[in-house]
Amino acid sequence: MAFSTLASPLWLSRSAFFLKTSLLHSGTRALTRRFTGPGQPSTFFSPISLKPSFKHLSAIRSASGIVAQKSSDSEWSLAREDVVILGIETSCDDTAAAVVRGNGEILSQVVSSQARRIAGKFSLPIISVHHMEAHALVARLVEKDLQFPFLALLISGGHNLLILAHGLGHYVQLGTTIDDAIGEAYDKTARWLGLDMRKGGGPALEELAREGDAKAIKFSIPMRQHKDCNFSYAGLKTQVRIAIESKNLSVENNSISSTSSHERRLRADIAASFQRVAVLHLEERCERAIEWAMNIEPSIKCLVVSGGVASNQYVRTRLNHVVEKNGLQLVCPPPSLCTDNGVMVAWTGIEHFFCGRFDPPPRADEPKDSMFDLRPRWPLGEEYSQGKSGARSLKRARLHPSLTSIIQGSAQQQV
Ligand code: KG4
Ligand code: ZN
């Protein structure tokens, strides 16, 4: 059985705000929906830390005895003390949950030190999984014939990575982002355009872009003067913001549902033009990465594209052209396995487990306040020496040895 511990910095911060529904007991899900009513957010995210224990679940169950009154089809009339909200906060060191009554009364609050504690309690071996490695390796679950070496483009909310995967745990980083990742740019643009963010900024923007003219606004493609495989999306974000402001579109209180059809068209043009250039940047970097990768490993046959943004149909189609042009095959997991999911973590655990790469169970009596070496900017592989960029920002400066160097170091010790 596998448990994971590692993740990227943006994964950390975002997971504090988005609900991981899989963590919810089905009964509690029904409860939150029941008490919030239609059109309302079904969850509330509290900074309070809690653990989903039996005590906690029984607090939820006893609270579920309260009955909400529906005064009309769309309105719920509830006294504050009759509203009970479950808040879940997840991050890589803790999972916390709380049940709080509308009047501020805390019914239950608990913190769980995640995978590690469970592994200790049940004497299970533990496998540390790098979040971005999991995005890449899930492609081997989907495409059973996918052999090393392969090239991978990993595009998510916090990362843009081009890696050459030589073997399990052996990666060379050809490119990374020097500032923002593409998913962050999608999300910010979607927010500024007043899109409904409930299903995520990326999917909403992709949908609106279908209505727009992708050549209506001339955004410039980032980093063309740098002949490397690194990425930058901060400048494109700024260009979008300027375009929105120059068309006198408000970026605050600007829901697209309340705009005229003319204004909707303007926003769709911005969305489509943004998407075109954001993806052109990916295409250009992939072209160069394919060239580099074929020089290093001529046997490469596939480009894996994974991470949340890889669920975008436009991205998939455009990258497929690049890959076909270069005589390679595109391997893209289905959208449900591109965005964050438990399957990719479990599968990566399986890959490492069968190579004998796992740690013994932690002590069951491990002190609750034990310190762990969590690496929010843990690089996946060593940088390709010829690919180092002069444009690299200090924000991404190397803080830790890469996963690859750690695995290679421990393999040498065992010999
Ligand atoms: O990998 P992921 O699920 O979480 C992180 O590790 O960050 O990626 C989330 C990112 C978000 O920025 C989200 O807006 C973006 O992936 N995303 C998309 C699409 N679906 C998810 N971006 C563009 N188009 C999509 N269809
Ligand atoms: Zn992810």
Side-chain angles (χ1 to χ4, degrees):
M1 198 157 183
F3 296 101
S4 74
T5 55
L6 264 298
S8 73
L10 291 184
W11 183 83
L12 286 181
S13 55
R14 189 172 42 261
S15 62
F17 297 99
F18 283 94
L19 178 71
K20 303 279 181 194
T21 44
S22 56
L23 289 177
L24 274 176
H25 182 273
S26 57
T28 63
R29 232 184 284 162
L31 172 70
T32 46
R33 242 185 260 132
R34 177 175 169 187
F35 281 103
T36 51
Q40 299 296 311
S42 64
T43 46
F44 168 76
F45 300 102
S46 156
I48 302 164
S49 295
L50 315 168
K51 171 168 102 187
S53 64
F54 284 113
K55 181 178 149 220
H56 171 65
L57 290 176
S58 63
I60 297 166
R61 286 205 195 94
S62 61
S64 70
I66 301 162
V67 179
Q69 301 290 315
K70 208 178 174 199
S71 60
S72 74
D73 271 356
S74 58
E75 276 183 32
W76 291 74
S77 135
L78 289 167
R80 274 196 90 79
E81 56 273 23
D82 285 349
V83 175
V84 178
I85 303 286
L86 167 69
I88 295 183
E89 195 272 346
T90 68
S91 61
C92 82
D93 49 348
D94 286 327
T95 294
V99 184
V100 182
R101 210 183 275 285
N103 60 6
E105 184 189 348
I106 297 169
L107 298 174
S108 170
Q109 65 164 319
V110 278
V111 180
S112 159
S113 295
Q114 273 200 355
R116 239 192 123 72
R117 189 69 55 72
I118 301 167
K121 193 168 171 190
F122 297 99
S123 279
L124 295 169
I126 191 161
I127 307 162
S128 296
V129 171
H130 192 299
H131 184 78
M132 300 313 288
E133 183 187 28
H135 271 308
L137 292 187
V138 75
R140 279 166 50 86
L141 168 79
V142 175
E143 188 66 57
K144 291 280 180 338
D145 294 336
L146 176 62
Q147 303 290 335
F148 294 106
F150 59 83
L151 182 62
L153 169 71
L154 307 175
I155 36 180
S156 68
H159 287 267
N160 260 64
L161 281 177
L162 266 164
I163 58 161
L164 175 52
H166 285 285
L168 187 65
H170 183 189
Y171 310 102
V172 170
Q173 182 182 292
L174 303 181
T176 183
T177 181
I178 64 159
D179 43 50
D180 297 330
I182 184 169
E184 148 79 14
Y186 264 90
D187 291 339
K188 204 42 91 49
T189 302
R191 194 175 298 281
W192 288 337
L193 292 174
L195 304 189
D196 182 347
M197 304 289 288
R198 280 177 295 185
K199 286 191 220 144
L205 192 131
E206 180 183 10
E207 205 178 314
L208 181 67
R210 288 199 195 102
E211 299 172 28
D213 172 2
K215 300 220 170 127
I217 295 147
K218 305 271 173 281
F219 294 129
S220 51
I221 303 171
M223 290 187 81
R224 287 196 118 172
Q225 69 281 21
H226 294 281
K227 307 288 178 212
D228 57 36
C229 291
N230 290 319
F231 301 87
S232 163
Y233 281 94
L236 181 57
K237 261 170 45 182
T238 308
Q239 291 185 64
V240 168
R241 174 102 191 193
I242 291 167
I244 291 174
E245 284 169 356
S246 72
K247 296 197 181 308
N248 294 323
L249 304 175
S250 159
V251 291
E252 311 290 341
N253 303 320
N254 60 346
S255 170
I256 195 159
S257 57
S258 57
T259 56
S260 65
S261 61
H262 169 71
E263 192 166 307
R264 184 181 175 91
R265 175 70 206 208
L266 281 179
R267 292 183 197 213
D269 285 350
I270 294 173
S273 303
F274 157 78
Q275 176 163 262
R276 176 172 165 272
V277 171
V279 178
L280 271 171
H281 188 29
L282 295 181
E283 291 171 49
E284 291 189 353
R285 280 9 216 177
C286 282
E287 287 270 8
R288 183 169 293 117
I290 291 172
E291 204 183 302
W292 287 5
M294 297 299 271
N295 281 335
I296 310 168
E297 284 274 15
S299 60
I300 280 176
K301 294 195 178 52
C302 294
L303 170 70
V304 167
V305 182
S306 184
V309 183
S311 52
N312 181 299
Q313 199 49 53
Y314 179 80
V315 170
R316 293 162 96 100
T317 308
R318 297 290 307 187
L319 291 176
N320 197 37
H321 287 311
V322 173
V323 164
E324 279 184 349
K325 202 169 75 187
N326 286 282
L328 298 183
Q329 192 200 329
L330 183 75
V331 179
C332 228
S336 60
L337 295 181
C338 280
T339 48
D340 285 357
N341 62 85
V343 173
M344 68 185 197
V345 177
W347 173 255
T348 305
I350 289 166
E351 293 249 37
H352 282 284
F353 184 81
F354 283 108
C355 284
R357 211 170 286 141
F358 55 88
D359 291 330
R363 279 172 36 203
D365 58 352
E366 193 169 71
K368 283 191 177 153
D369 54 358
S370 296
M371 300 291 282
F372 299 107
D373 181 14
L374 298 166
R375 296 174 186 168
R377 286 189 197 153
W378 193 25
L380 194 48
E382 294 303 301
E383 261 180 290
Y384 179 45
S385 54
Q386 289 163 47
K388 288 193 173 148
S389 169
R392 209 150 216 286
S393 98
L394 281 176
K395 201 172 156 187
R396 300 275 157 171
R398 171 64 59 84
L399 295 177
H400 299 287
S402 71
L403 169 75
T404 301
S405 66
I406 291 170
I407 286 179
Q408 286 175 346
S410 70
Q412 274 165 9
Q413 274 176 12
Q414 282 163 20
V415 171

